[in-house]
Amino acid sequence: MRLHNTLSGQVEEFKPIEVGHVRMYTCGPTVHDYAHIGNFRTFLFEDLLRRVLLQQGYRVTQVMNLTDVEDRIIKKAAEHGQTIDEFTEKYIEAFFEDLDTLRIERAEHYPRATEHIFEMVSLIDLLNEKGHTYVTDGSTYFRIASFPRYGELAHLDHAGLKAGARVDVDDYGKDDPRDFVLWKARKPGEQSWETPLGIGRPGWHIECSAMSMKYLGESFDIHTGGVDNIFPHHENEIAQSEAATGKPFVRYWMHAQHLQDAMGEKMSKRLKNFTTLRDLVAEGYQPRAIRYALLTGAHYRSPLAFSPELLKAADSAIKRLDEFAVRLGPIPTEAEPTPDVRKRWDDALKDDLNLPAAVGHLFEFIKAFNTRLESGKATPEERAGAMAMLRHANRILDVVEFPEVVDAEVDRLIAERQAARDRRDFARADEIRQQLLGMGIQLDDTKDGTRWKRVR
RNA sequence: GGCGAGUUAGCCAAGUGGUAAGGCAGAGGUCUGCAAAACCUCCACCGCGGGUUCGAAUCCCGCACUCGCCUCCA
């Protein structure tokens, strides 16, 4: 298995620290609003990574944080006259609903920042002891000058950082503009925690270090997020984690590219050019088409422009997969996937999660196998293998609807209609077809007889 | 200004040295009581200009354009 590592900028052979067990931390949502589909592109990339690792036989321990204390949350909660918990509850709930809608597998842990204040304070304490911090007006800062390797992940050198640095955009004082805040002193009206560091609240970056190390250890395998997290968030995580433990923090950093709007601009809350999952579902798009579009529309490291056309193409492609399943019919699933196709599929995914290529191989196979089915050459064994292959692929894609095994009533009506057709009573035949359609069953007449499938 | 990614058919997209996967859309055909599906066929000289090579979308140089990051945005 090969994965792209932002640290080296290269695709590298993946080897977990513990043989057969992958520990990964996936940066989760800030629950100040509904997540938009750009956010979900990243979460789907992480779902892909998780599923591929599992399919490769790894045990996976995945942690996804819920950032529930942050500037926007504090501001909005105050505007609503609510506590942080009251305000974020709705969006946390919505987030999990959205994960289900997109069939994103659950991680093992979803730690919340507000429930790990103690761990964060402990970590900051450790940084204090080791001389990486300073305090100004009750806020604690990380001194970047104390961590020479700073900039390694984002490939920025200190000089470059200085050139790009702006002066103090927030209200907190720093010795050096590059430094970042670990603990923010309480400001009037803000929810705060009373700790040995003073009354205040944690900075953003420290939560991920504290929570990832709590659940995964001081060194773990994979840490993911959107590319916008590379700098400063992940860079800061490395600095504070490694400064505290003296150990390598993360071995493989993986980042998903952005989803763009139809104009090719980054989708973001700030630009107000975003779409939520809920909007799309309300517009009548199938969730599985959204899943398919975001997952296969482009390799995860390439930008993807989102458009209605993309969704429509996804919808049609899924229908083709459904149709293939219907055509193979309800058959046993114990068979092994068609070997050569399986190999091409697996190899593509093992090559830095190249799902677009894998899907290409799958469709190539489907096209060829349809030809065999058409000519009547496909053996029952081959059909079983093809079905197993489709199921194998669908363990990653999770978009196909497989035909149900039997439905006696449907079979009876189909037989009755066939009898009508045999005596050329097409009026009766069409009547039965309409009747079944009313039951959500669509009939397809083929050379091999009549097939049926459920329609929406 | 610094760093990085990218430019492949109408749209999306894979492809890192041997003369372009796949999906969507489109055209024609086969099949068919009808419908739908399926199948077959057709549809790209890979941003521009040089260079290396027997041979380049793939390597090198230059140019153009797009996008991202450069302090709390997945």
Side-chain angles (χ1 to χ4, degrees), chain A residues 32-299:
Chain A
H32 71 287
D33 198 351
Y34 296 110
H36 61 68
I37 52 172
N39 302 130
F40 283 115
R41 183 185 186 199
T42 297
F43 301 138
L44 279 164
F45 144 67
E46 289 153 358
D47 185 57
L48 169 64
L49 174 61
R50 178 188 172 84
R51 287 172 186 251
V52 171
L53 288 169
L54 288 169
Q55 196 168 56
Q56 290 303 311
Y58 288 107
R59 176 185 159 206
V60 173
T61 301
Q62 180 187 358
V63 177
M64 178 177 279
N65 64 300
L66 300 173
T67 298
D68 60 351
V69 52
E70 182 257 2
D71 287 356
R72 288 168 300 182
I73 291 173
I74 289 169
K75 193 173 160 210
K76 288 187 184 180
E79 283 168 10
H80 288 78
Q82 291 175 314
T83 64
I84 285 176
D85 282 353
E86 287 165 354
F87 176 76
T88 58
E89 188 188 345
K90 169 181 170 189
Y91 296 113
I92 290 174
E93 213 169 285
F95 176 67
F96 284 112
E97 284 171 13
D98 288 353
L99 290 186
D100 289 345
T101 300
L102 287 173
R103 301 186 187 179
I104 293 173
E105 281 189 7
R106 292 298 171 92
E108 279 65 33
H109 305 281
Y110 289 96
R112 300 182 189 190
T114 53
E115 291 172 0
H116 294 78
I117 302 293
F118 172 79
E119 286 82 353
M120 295 187 229
V121 170
S122 302
L123 190 58
I124 296 169
D125 269 342
L126 197 54
L127 290 168
N128 281 336
E129 283 168 28
K130 297 199 174 182
H132 291 286
T133 65
Y134 59 91
V135 177
T136 303
D137 297 332
S139 291
T140 304
Y141 296 88
F142 185 90
R143 190 185 301 283
I144 282 171
S146 74
F147 190 76
R149 294 212 314 284
Y150 192 80
E152 218 169 54
L153 180 70
H155 306 288
L156 298 170
D157 59 23
H158 283 208
L161 281 173
K162 248 174 197 162
R166 285 180 236 155
V167 184
D168 237 356
V169 289
D170 61 23
D171 298 333
Y172 303 88
K174 301 177 189 175
D175 281 5
D176 183 324
R178 300 171 300 159
D179 293 341
F180 58 92
V181 66
L182 296 164
W183 186 262
K184 295 182 173 187
R186 177 179 187 271
K187 288 198 280 191
E190 284 186 357
Q191 187 164 331
S192 55
W193 284 262
E194 198 170 338
T195 75
L197 297 169
I199 298 175
R201 62 185 175 90
W204 176 39
H205 312 295
I206 196 69
E207 70 171 81
C208 285
S209 289
M211 298 195 294
S212 61
M213 288 197 276
K214 173 174 180 181
Y215 294 95
L216 299 172
E218 292 179 340
S219 296
F220 56 95
D221 301 302
I222 303 176
H223 193 131
T224 70
V227 286
D228 50 359
N229 281 155
I230 295 172
F231 194 89
H233 185 50
H234 290 164
E235 193 69 59
N236 291 351
E237 279 186 54
I238 292 173
Q240 67 202 3
S241 303
E242 300 195 353
T245 67
K247 295 176 186 164
F249 179 45
V250 168
R251 314 221 313 174
Y252 303 87
W253 288 88
M254 298 180 71
H255 294 95
Q257 256 296 348
H258 287 307
L259 188 67
Q260 304 174 333
D261 64 18
M263 302 304 290
E265 278 196 276
K266 172 184 170 180
M267 186 176 285
S268 74
K269 286 272 159 60
R270 190 176 301 168
L271 293 173
K272 298 197 188 336
N273 62 344
F274 63 91
T275 308
T276 67
L277 181 60
R278 282 143 199 268
D279 292 339
L280 291 174
V281 172
E283 283 170 38
Y285 290 105
Q286 288 194 92
R288 58 188 185 134
I290 302 167
R291 176 180 169 88
Y292 185 92
L294 294 176
L295 216 40
T296 69
H299 185 259

Side-chain angles (χ1 to χ4, degrees), chain A residues 217-445:
Chain A
E218 292 179 340
S219 296
F220 56 95
D221 301 302
I222 303 176
H223 193 131
T224 70
V227 286
D228 50 359
N229 281 155
I230 295 172
F231 194 89
H233 185 50
H234 290 164
E235 193 69 59
N236 291 351
E237 279 186 54
I238 292 173
Q240 67 202 3
S241 303
E242 300 195 353
T245 67
K247 295 176 186 164
F249 179 45
V250 168
R251 314 221 313 174
Y252 303 87
W253 288 88
M254 298 180 71
H255 294 95
Q257 256 296 348
H258 287 307
L259 188 67
Q260 304 174 333
D261 64 18
M263 302 304 290
E265 278 196 276
K266 172 184 170 180
M267 186 176 285
S268 74
K269 286 272 159 60
R270 190 176 301 168
L271 293 173
K272 298 197 188 336
N273 62 344
F274 63 91
T275 308
T276 67
L277 181 60
R278 282 143 199 268
D279 292 339
L280 291 174
V281 172
E283 283 170 38
Y285 290 105
Q286 288 194 92
R288 58 188 185 134
I290 302 167
R291 176 180 169 88
Y292 185 92
L294 294 176
L295 216 40
T296 69
H299 185 259
Y300 78 92
R301 282 192 289 118
S302 297
L304 175 64
F306 191 78
S307 66
E309 290 69 34
L310 186 73
L311 283 180
K312 290 193 185 93
D315 197 66
S316 300
I318 291 172
K319 275 193 193 129
R320 200 157 143 74
L321 296 174
D322 283 352
E323 193 59 39
F324 187 59
V326 167
R327 184 159 194 179
L328 290 171
I331 51 178
T333 56
E334 305 89 69
E336 285 298 310
T338 313
D340 53 330
V341 190
R342 179 191 182 151
K343 179 161 178 15
R344 284 199 291 277
W345 169 270
D346 287 350
D347 285 351
L349 290 176
K350 276 154 56 176
D351 181 17
D352 195 30
L353 311 178
N354 196 343
L355 187 58
V359 168
H361 298 313
L362 179 65
F363 275 106
E364 204 173 4
F365 165 67
I366 288 174
K367 186 175 188 175
F369 202 82
N370 273 327
T371 307
R372 287 187 70 75
L373 287 168
E374 197 73 13
S375 65
K377 283 184 191 155
T379 64
E381 292 72 29
E382 285 174 336
R383 292 171 77 112
M387 180 57 101
M389 183 58 225
L390 188 61
R391 289 190 185 277
H392 182 72
N394 199 50
R395 274 199 284 278
I396 303 296
L397 292 172
D398 208 352
V399 295
V400 181
E401 282 176 6
F402 290 90
E404 291 142 273
V405 181
V406 279
D407 191 314
E409 174 65 3
V410 172
D411 285 347
R412 193 188 63 72
L413 284 166
I414 289 174
E416 187 186 333
R417 174 169 170 276
Q418 188 54 49
R421 292 178 76 207
D422 289 344
R423 62 176 187 269
R424 306 193 66 77
D425 181 359
F426 296 123
R428 177 61 188 149
D430 287 348
E431 193 185 342
I432 293 172
R433 195 217 299 272
Q434 282 308 312
Q435 183 186 348
L436 283 163
L437 200 55
M439 295 160 60
I441 302 291
Q442 183 183 310
L443 298 183
D444 300 335
D445 295 326

